[in-house]
Amino acid sequence: MTDPKVVALDYHERTKHHLHRYADSLGYLDWASQPDPFRLFDGAPRVRLDQVEPTDEPTFDAALDARVDPARPLDRHFVSQLFYDSLALSAWKEFAGTRWALRVNPSSGNLHPTEGYLVAGPIPDLGEGPAVWHYAPGEHALEQRRELDSEQWTQLTVGLPDQVVLIGLTSIHWREAWKYGARAFRYCHHDVGHAIGALAVAASVLGWQTRMLEPGDEDLAVLLGVHRQEGIEVEHADCLLALWPRDAVVGPRATRDWTMAPGLRAALRQTPPLGEPNQLSSHHHRWDVIDEVTEATRRETPAPPSYWEPTADRTPGLPRFVAARPIIRQRRSAVAMDRTTTLSREVFLRMLASVRPGGVPFRTLPWRPRIHLSLFVHRVDGLEPGLYCMVRDPAQQRRLAAAMRSDWLWVSAGDDADQVGLFLLAPLDCRDAAKSVCCHQDIAADGVFALGMLADYEQSLTELGPWFYRRLHWEAGALGQVLYLEAEAAGIRSTGIGCFFDDSMHGLLGIGDLSFQTLYHFTVGGEMLDERLSTRPAYEPKSGDGGS
């Protein structure tokens, strides 16, 4: 059998974009097979959730620094707000008789391959007993997939606080592959990271913290009831998050030692889940390379001890009195930048401070930071235009410098920049370079700054296993989610960029091996609005208790 690590490395090489050759795709959009953006389970009992509109409290900084107190009790309101602020619709857009939904969590191409699940005990006004629910964002509703008995719920939550809920995430690779072909697997896992970030921030707004558990992929699929799905529209189990009140007393090894009991796995296998998944497309185009990397990056054995390396809490910065929930729900992806907007040095460094390890959502991830930022700075007042590097783990600075060009300066960008690990590599006008590496897209040159996310790549896969390939993309997606929110808090806009020439970026930096690889690009600036588009509310007002 082929070594799974070799398969993962080969997939990454095969799906790179190059200046004269893009990664394999159909080369056109087959509109007749466009996937339905909403997964539903026909026949599953459904309960509509409440639309919990934003308020002025808590502040955005309090949420990112996990300082919201007291914790909201677990009830229907909690569940409604958690999903409303993380995976729900945020608006509808219309143009020339066509309408499409926007969501709170970002997604490559607005295709949304990520599905969310709630696993919880009895919740007042929602469920009388423990159950597994699928979240349906189109209706802001829960669909019940499983009933659990009290013993099964006890087995699932051994070692966790009494007041705990679990959130599972899955990916439908076909939703992204329909448009992006072979490269879609990367984008699916960016979106898992976006969703992890969105859920962790939404939970923090409620005074709850979020930690990642590590069941095997098959165990998670069985728990969520997706293990019986077949075909190209199957949901692939990704990750499981545990949420509990911020002030709960939890042992240091609670998440590390958590496992799914074999007897529980066997019992769940014998019980068919409720409902049948709807068909998303009338026909499909299969990408074998995605199936191969999916299998190669599965994880069934326990994560090694070196995986569990959470970082210490970060020191909060100067407070900003910006409400968290309006920022969360107004997040949008910019389509074009205005070429004129600038940022102050203070605001720029504050944005970078928010993606340092230790804050929300990065404390959710159990590994030490493996992603660093290579920044193209265009228009930041008080900061020289040029190419910079933000080192998110100081222990890796020497390896980063050794992997890049030997003539980079690596000088401090100032005392205030030292606090975020920002170094100047070269002072220059890098707008053309940013545009060139991002598939010639103007948006990378026209914003205030752009960046590429450099992953500690080959060593991570060697040390931890090929399954960590997915998690590198999750960390990149979580970084993107915070940058999206930071841009909104600063009164500007941003967008992730999935199309970039991988090795052109590496060549620019002087990286000639697989020690570090760029996984995700991003740009921030003043948005040019398209006045032709009209905006409609995410959901129509409902009457009564909304049950169905």
Side-chain angles (χ1 to χ4, degrees):
M1 295 180 63
T2 304
D3 182 345
K5 178 188 169 185
V6 172
V7 174
L9 293 173
D10 180 65
Y11 169 80
H12 193 72
E13 290 300 308
R14 290 174 63 183
T15 57
K16 286 180 174 179
H17 288 322
H18 299 276
L19 280 169
H20 304 293
R21 176 178 58 82
Y22 287 81
D24 288 345
S25 68
L26 286 181
Y28 63 92
L29 292 180
D30 179 10
W31 293 107
S33 66
Q34 182 177 11
D36 188 329
F38 302 116
R39 163 126 295 173
L40 295 171
F41 288 91
D42 300 330
R46 189 172 300 162
V47 178
R48 292 187 184 273
L49 298 174
D50 304 322
Q51 299 173 33
V52 185
E53 295 302 325
T55 57
D56 293 336
E57 293 290 340
T59 66
F60 181 49
D61 290 334
L64 289 189
D65 293 326
R67 293 185 286 106
V68 178
D69 193 45
R72 173 80 196 190
L74 177 58
D75 55 15
R76 179 192 181 98
H77 182 284
F78 174 95
V79 173
S80 297
Q81 181 176 320
L82 176 70
F83 283 107
Y84 199 64
D85 288 351
S86 58
L87 304 183
L89 305 189
S90 57
W92 286 88
K93 290 289 186 180
E94 293 183 358
F95 173 69
T98 302
R99 68 195 300 258
W100 60 95
L102 304 181
R103 302 197 197 182
V104 174
N105 55 312
S107 172
S108 302
N110 198 34
L111 296 171
H112 292 282
T114 311
E115 297 291 327
Y117 289 78
L118 170 71
V119 185
I123 298 178
D125 301 320
L126 190 61
E128 295 182 356
V132 177
W133 306 81
H134 169 253
Y135 177 64
E139 302 181 15
H140 188 45
L142 293 176
E143 300 178 300
Q144 187 174 349
R145 302 295 331 281
R146 288 192 181 280
E147 291 182 342
L148 303 174
D149 60 39
S150 58
E151 176 60 26
Q152 290 173 330
W153 176 244
T154 298
Q155 288 180 299
L156 274 174
T157 57
V158 169
L160 302 178
D162 292 337
Q163 200 172 29
V164 64
V165 297
L166 307 179
I167 301 290
L169 297 176
T170 67
S171 292
I172 303 173
H173 297 158
W174 164 243
R175 280 219 183 101
E176 291 286 332
W178 167 77
K179 181 176 182 180
Y180 295 116
R183 198 169 164 101
F185 185 79
R186 299 186 185 202
Y187 300 156
C188 286
H189 290 284
H190 286 158
D191 285 356
V192 173
H194 291 145
I196 291 170
L199 284 158
V201 173
S204 188
V205 167
L206 291 157
W208 285 49
Q209 56 183 306
T210 307
R211 296 291 185 271
M212 187 175 290
L213 305 179
E214 282 291 1
D217 288 12
E218 181 63 18
D219 284 354
L220 181 56
V222 170
L223 173 63
L224 302 182
V226 301
H227 62 296
R228 292 171 177 251
Q229 294 181 15
E230 297 178 343
I232 198 169
E233 295 183 1
V234 65
E235 292 176 57
H236 298 272
D238 289 319
C239 69
L240 187 65
L241 307 176
L243 283 60
W244 58 74
R246 184 175 69 86
D247 55 359
V249 178
V250 185
R253 297 173 62 93
T255 53
R256 177 174 174 172
D257 293 344
W258 184 92
T259 58
M260 188 166 157
L264 176 59
R265 180 192 316 129
L268 294 177
R269 275 190 172 280
Q270 296 173 4
T271 308
L274 302 173
E276 292 295 327
N278 61 330
Q279 184 173 334
L280 304 179
S281 296
S282 58
H283 58 280
H284 312 87
H285 180 93
R286 179 171 291 280
W287 294 93
D288 292 338
V289 66
I290 294 180
D291 295 337
E292 292 165 4
V293 73
T294 299
E295 184 62 29
T297 57
R298 287 170 58 87
R299 192 187 64 76
E300 300 301 343
T301 58
S306 60
Y307 172 73
W308 302 93
E309 298 182 19
T311 53
D313 291 349
R314 70 164 185 243
T315 302
L318 295 175
R320 295 167 294 181
F321 300 100
V322 179
R325 296 192 62 224
I327 291 298
I328 289 170
R329 289 199 53 80
Q330 77 184 36
R331 185 216 62 81
R332 302 285 187 272
S333 295
V335 176
M337 299 296 188
D338 61 14
R339 305 183 185 181
T340 59
T341 295
T342 64
L343 275 185
S344 70
R345 179 188 180 99
E346 178 185 7
V347 172
F348 173 72
L349 292 178
R350 182 56 192 255
M351 295 179 76
L352 297 188
S354 291
V355 298
R356 287 179 301 174
V360 176
F362 307 112
R363 61 177 63 192
T364 298
L365 309 178
W367 59 87
R368 66 174 175 80
R370 307 269 176 155
I371 303 287
H372 310 278
L373 306 184
S374 179
L375 297 117
F376 303 89
V377 175
H378 307 319
R379 289 185 307 279
V380 175
D381 296 334
L383 194 65
E384 190 170 12
L387 187 63
Y388 291 76
C389 187
M390 178 185 174
V391 182
R392 295 180 64 245
D393 180 1
Q396 294 191 52
Q397 182 183 343
R398 182 170 296 182
R399 286 186 58 235
L400 268 169
M404 295 186 189
R405 286 175 48 166
S406 60
D407 58 347
W408 289 141
L409 297 176
W410 285 99
V411 298
S412 169
D415 291 344
D416 51 354
D418 287 345
Q419 299 175 21
V420 299
L422 183 66
F423 296 89
L424 172 65
L425 301 184
L428 51 86
D429 182 342
C430 52
R431 288 174 294 180
D432 287 345
K435 176 180 175 178
S436 176
V437 299
C438 289
C439 299
H440 309 298
Q441 296 178 83
D442 290 333
I443 199 167
D446 294 345
V448 172
F449 67 93
L451 60 87
M453 301 186 190
L454 289 176
D456 180 1
Y457 180 64
E458 188 171 28
Q459 181 170 301
S460 295
L461 271 60
T462 300
E463 173 190 342
L464 298 173
W467 51 269
F468 198 74
Y469 181 71
R470 302 186 189 186
R471 285 154 179 80
L472 287 173
H473 288 81
W474 298 355
E475 184 177 344
L479 279 161
Q481 174 64 3
V482 175
L483 289 170
Y484 268 117
L485 298 179
E486 279 289 336
E488 298 291 339
I492 54 177
R493 279 273 150 85
S494 60
T495 190
I497 300 176
C499 186
F500 50 85
F501 299 125
D502 304 60
D503 287 340
S504 294
M505 180 65 172
H506 302 145
L508 172 68
L509 295 173
I511 298 173
D513 57 18
L514 298 179
S515 56
F516 293 89
Q517 294 282 284
T518 186
L519 294 189
Y520 188 21
H521 283 235
F522 207 87
T523 186
V524 178
E527 182 184 25
M528 291 181 62
L529 293 172
D530 189 337
E531 301 294 343
R532 299 172 301 169
L533 305 183
S534 59
T535 304
R536 298 287 181 265
Y539 303 100
E540 295 299 327
K542 58 181 174 51
S543 59
D545 62 11
S548 64

